[in-house]
Amino acid sequence: MNGAKVGFFSEIEKIMHGFGDVPNPLRMSVELMENLIKKELKEIIREAETVAEFRMSSKIDIEEIVFLLRRNKFKLRRIYKCLETKALGSKIEKDASEEIISQRNSKNERNLIHFVKALEELDTFGDLVDFCKEEGEPDLARVDRLLRLEKVSRDLDSARYEAFAKARTVRFSCAKQKFAQWALSGSELSSNITELAWLALDFLAFEAIGQIVDTSFLLRKTDHTTDSIQQRMPSLTSNPGFPSVYFGNAGLTCAGLLGKPLTPDEVSEAYRRLTTRIRVCLSGHQELLPKCLLI
């Protein structure tokens, strides 16, 4: 990069908008988000290095990522669905050269097969593989997010909806080498990371931004709710038979809840809550411990 600073300010700005923030998020909020995601990427890579050493492997592959995510089956399912979509998408893609299609198919299919094998090595009984392939237990956090974004899109005109839709397609993987350089800059972490592992890290970084934005809006909603009973209600109530029906708080219109940009304080507080876990000691004392957001 000829000494130039590598960053993803523009991409993160669009990703935040794609998750429901205003079209032009506050610069300080985007810069804070960029620093937090970079910090979390370094943490998960550091932990993946430890796992690779334990496995006597000279590189970080998808097995290390799967092992770190072993307690978060919903994130594993999301990665599986992402890889499955890529494999299916390349199959139906029309191209003049059948050879190019065949090569692309084999690569995407190999990634999916490799990921499933990593799951099978970790899960002796096959429950985790079945969970990823099936849609039995709903991913409530994802359902909550999709319903919120659908609610946001209702009030947009055609021009703003087009910009919103484009923002939802932005990913770090659009610049793979830049993403790797950015994630590893300023550290002595191993750069021997496979392409499939980078693909998973890209997805986890994208999801982490979504988690922070989701939690920020949830905190804002709680702050605006004065009813103590309503504060303890779930963030949404949906009718399973009609998933497009949304019963939100009557006093919180889309403009009132999402009309102003997320502030650095809201982003910082959401991150603090997402990266803190409570451990109860035998004495009954509660201890706050840090945790990696991407895991």
Side-chain angles (χ1 to χ4, degrees):
M1 297 297 293
N2 299 325
K5 182 180 179 181
V6 179
F8 278 90
F9 182 92
S10 177
E11 291 83 352
I12 292 177
E13 185 179 43
K14 291 183 176 65
I15 293 173
M16 289 177 66
H17 175 45
F19 280 119
D21 202 355
V22 296
N24 296 300
L26 295 177
R27 182 176 186 84
M28 291 182 63
S29 297
V30 179
E31 290 176 346
L32 175 60
M33 184 74 77
E34 184 177 18
N35 291 333
L36 294 176
I37 298 303
K38 184 176 179 179
K39 173 185 175 183
E40 290 299 313
L41 278 170
K42 288 182 178 179
E43 179 61 27
I44 192 174
I45 292 173
R46 188 175 293 109
E47 295 195 26
E49 278 186 338
T50 303
V51 177
E53 291 176 3
F54 181 78
R55 294 180 62 245
M56 301 182 66
S57 174
S58 60
K59 61 184 178 181
I60 296 175
D61 209 337
I62 194 64
E63 284 81 5
E64 282 71 32
I65 307 299
V66 168
F67 178 81
L68 293 175
L69 292 172
R70 65 192 183 279
R71 294 189 180 92
N72 197 327
K73 57 183 180 180
F74 287 107
K75 280 192 177 181
L76 286 173
R77 178 198 276 175
R78 293 179 191 179
I79 295 177
Y80 173 84
K81 293 299 181 184
C82 175
L83 295 175
E84 184 182 44
T85 300
K86 287 180 178 293
L88 292 175
S90 61
K91 284 184 178 180
I92 61 176
E93 183 180 7
K94 302 299 181 182
D95 197 289
S97 173
E98 294 295 334
E99 183 178 355
I100 294 178
I101 293 178
S102 176
Q103 292 175 355
R104 188 181 303 137
N105 282 347
S106 61
K107 179 179 179 180
N108 289 330
E109 289 173 359
R110 284 199 305 269
N111 285 340
L112 181 61
I113 293 172
H114 189 173
F115 180 76
V116 172
K117 286 184 177 180
L119 288 176
E120 291 174 341
E121 289 180 5
L122 185 66
D123 184 25
T124 307
F125 299 101
D127 295 338
L128 193 56
V129 176
D130 292 339
F131 179 85
C132 291
K133 292 183 177 181
E134 298 173 359
E135 293 288 352
E137 186 176 348
D139 189 345
L140 296 180
R142 187 169 185 275
V143 171
D144 194 342
R145 176 188 298 166
L146 293 176
L147 287 172
R148 177 175 59 80
L149 294 179
E150 192 273 335
K151 181 178 174 65
V152 171
S153 66
R154 294 179 191 176
D155 294 339
L156 302 179
D157 56 30
S158 57
R160 289 192 298 167
Y161 182 80
E162 182 179 1
F164 177 64
K166 287 182 179 179
R168 295 186 66 182
T169 65
V170 177
R171 299 290 189 276
F172 293 104
S173 56
C174 296
K176 296 180 181 179
Q177 293 183 350
K178 178 183 174 182
F179 180 66
Q181 184 179 0
W182 173 68
L184 297 173
S185 63
S187 70
E188 297 181 357
L189 296 171
S190 172
S191 60
N192 193 6
I193 303 175
T194 66
E195 183 177 350
L196 180 54
W198 274 122
L199 185 61
L201 291 172
D202 160 39
F203 182 82
L204 292 172
F206 172 79
E207 280 290 314
I209 296 177
Q211 285 181 269
I212 295 175
V213 173
D214 290 343
T215 305
S216 298
F217 283 128
L218 184 59
L219 292 174
R220 182 181 291 183
K221 171 183 174 180
T222 304
D223 290 340
H224 281 77
T225 303
T226 58
D227 189 335
S228 60
I229 297 179
Q230 199 173 36
Q231 286 183 349
R232 291 168 173 77
M233 292 287 287
S235 57
L236 66 83
T237 302
S238 60
N239 184 339
F242 301 89
S244 63
V245 177
Y246 180 93
F247 301 95
N249 292 320
L252 289 176
T253 62
C254 179
L257 183 62
L258 307 178
K260 62 178 182 178
L262 292 176
T263 65
D265 288 340
E266 289 174 325
V267 172
S268 179
E269 176 60 16
Y271 174 78
R272 184 190 69 81
R273 297 195 184 196
L274 287 168
T275 55
T276 303
R277 62 187 178 92
I278 300 176
R279 183 176 69 180
V280 180
C281 303
L282 293 176
S283 61
H285 174 71
Q286 292 185 347
E287 184 179 5
L288 298 180
L289 300 174
K291 67 177 182 179
C292 181
L293 175 59
L294 274 64
I295 300 175

